[in-house]
Amino acid sequence: MLNLERLRTLDALARFGSVSGAADDLHVTTSAVSQQLAKLEREVGQQLLAKNGRGVRLTDAGKLLADHAAKILSQVELAQSDIEAQRGEVVGEVRLAAFPTAARGLFPATLASLHADHPELRVRTAELEPEAGIRAVLRGDFDLAVVLDWSNKRLPVPGGLTMAELLDDAPDIAMPAGHPLAGRAEVDLEDFADDDWISWPEGEFCHDWLMFTLRSKGIEPRIAHLAGEHHTQLALIAAGVGVCVAPRLGRGVVPDGVRLVPVRQKMRRHVHAVWRTDADRRPSIRAAVKALRAAGRDLDAPVNGDGGD
């Protein structure tokens, strides 16, 4: 009998091409990946991996079994989807991931709605950046992820996933209240060519977007500070040390000393839900998307002043 978790490990190795890539994807150690694959080789009685320089490659038997593993994992998802669809009830468990501001801005109302409408549905949530959320859905760790992209920089979505739009988020530029442009009704990004910027951590999708967007306007960004939390970014701005892009979703209370001004060239963050296409019939997925959309419609984020905590 083939072990499902070992097949999942082989599938990750086939998709990422290395033991370390599979380990990162599965959130385990490289040693754990190697042990699982060694056990799988003993189970099938064939060599699945061969050394390739400092790494490994799949043997012909490994490639054959990896192809079957992908189909088996998809079939397991389809079976769960069909069982839930046949019952026609929103029950069981659904696992949701979202990037931090979406978790703060959408999850409270979404969870309250699901609890009220579907009391037998268990909901688990976690914060994950968009790329990590997509990987988690692909490998089956989560059923649905809330992700984002920008009007001028799309997020690559692999095959096998379905994506549905939830809402558009219009960010502003946050600056110290004493900034020369703080009294403007609107601003352009080019107005801040000589300012220090506060950005998301390097490697995150939004950091890459900011660098790409400013450079496309002929601005070489002066990134002075990196902070993953928007509240940290706004606190730094209140201290007068830079400017940042401040999305409205999940914003909360704006600190004293910070001014938020809309951008004239209507920037938009597009917020989506993604899930495995082979889970499309699950009533719990459909209920979660419906609740997330309703939570998005109810948002009314202010530009300045109290947004509520």
Side-chain angles (χ1 to χ4, degrees):
M1 181 72 69
L2 292 172
N3 180 281
L4 193 62
E5 287 308 308
R6 287 169 199 150
L7 290 178
R8 197 181 300 280
T9 303
L10 180 65
D11 176 66
L13 179 69
R15 285 187 290 111
F16 290 93
S18 68
V19 171
S20 60
D24 289 342
D25 182 63
L26 297 170
H27 295 291
V28 298
T29 64
T30 55
S31 175
V33 169
S34 297
Q35 289 174 18
Q36 288 283 63
L37 293 173
K39 289 178 181 177
L40 186 58
E41 285 186 324
R42 290 196 293 271
E43 286 176 352
V44 300
Q46 293 198 60
Q47 184 179 357
L48 302 177
L49 302 177
K51 289 187 177 181
N52 184 30
R54 294 185 179 181
V56 296
R57 60 174 178 83
L58 291 173
T59 64
D60 289 343
K63 292 176 183 177
L64 179 64
L65 186 56
D67 288 341
H68 282 292
K71 296 172 184 176
I72 289 167
L73 294 170
S74 178
Q75 199 63 38
V76 168
E77 189 72 52
L78 280 171
Q80 183 179 0
S81 178
D82 284 346
I83 288 294
E84 288 190 20
Q86 194 273 337
R87 291 181 64 180
E89 300 174 0
V90 183
V91 296
E93 180 178 85
V94 65
R95 298 159 298 173
L96 311 179
F99 59 94
T101 52
R104 181 177 182 185
L106 296 177
F107 275 177
T110 297
L111 298 182
S113 173
L114 288 173
H115 179 72
D117 295 341
H118 310 289
E120 294 187 38
L121 178 68
R122 298 185 305 277
V123 185
R124 290 172 48 203
T125 66
E127 289 186 358
L128 289 177
E129 292 297 328
E131 298 94 332
I134 285 177
R135 292 196 299 268
V137 170
L138 279 171
R139 66 176 175 259
D141 289 348
F142 285 84
D143 301 302
L144 179 150
V146 179
V147 301
L148 68 90
D149 57 19
W150 295 80
S151 50
N152 64 334
K153 188 174 177 63
R154 311 304 289 186
L155 179 71
V157 177
L161 294 182
T162 296
M163 183 166 67
E165 185 175 345
L166 298 178
L167 68 132
D168 280 353
D169 187 24
D172 306 303
I173 301 298
M175 66 195 79
H179 193 282
L181 303 179
R184 293 268 192 94
E186 290 182 319
V187 291
D188 294 314
L189 288 180
E190 293 90 333
D191 296 333
F192 301 93
D194 296 326
D195 282 89
D196 287 339
W197 283 86
I198 300 166
S199 178
W200 298 267
E202 292 181 5
E204 289 191 7
F205 184 77
C206 286
H207 175 83
D208 294 342
W209 165 82
L210 179 63
M211 302 295 287
F212 167 80
T213 301
L214 292 174
R215 285 171 176 163
S216 70
K217 296 179 179 296
I219 303 169
E220 183 55 36
R222 288 168 31 186
I223 306 299
H225 307 284
L226 300 175
E229 290 288 336
H230 284 275
H231 285 173
T232 304
Q233 295 180 2
L234 293 178
L236 291 171
I237 288 169
V241 298
V243 301
C244 78
V245 175
R248 298 180 187 179
L249 177 62
R251 176 179 291 169
V253 173
V254 178
D256 292 338
V258 174
R259 174 70 180 170
L260 295 156
V261 182
V263 180
R264 186 174 291 108
Q265 313 106 317
K266 302 299 182 184
M267 297 187 303
R268 289 289 185 274
R269 290 201 315 176
H270 305 298
V271 182
H272 312 275
V274 296
W275 62 91
R276 288 176 64 108
T277 302
D278 49 23
D280 197 54
R281 295 181 60 199
R282 289 180 57 187
S284 58
I285 295 289
R286 294 173 179 263
V289 173
K290 180 181 178 181
L292 285 164
R293 280 178 166 158
R297 286 194 300 269
D298 290 341
L299 291 176
D300 185 19
V303 176
N304 287 284
D306 287 348
D309 244 343

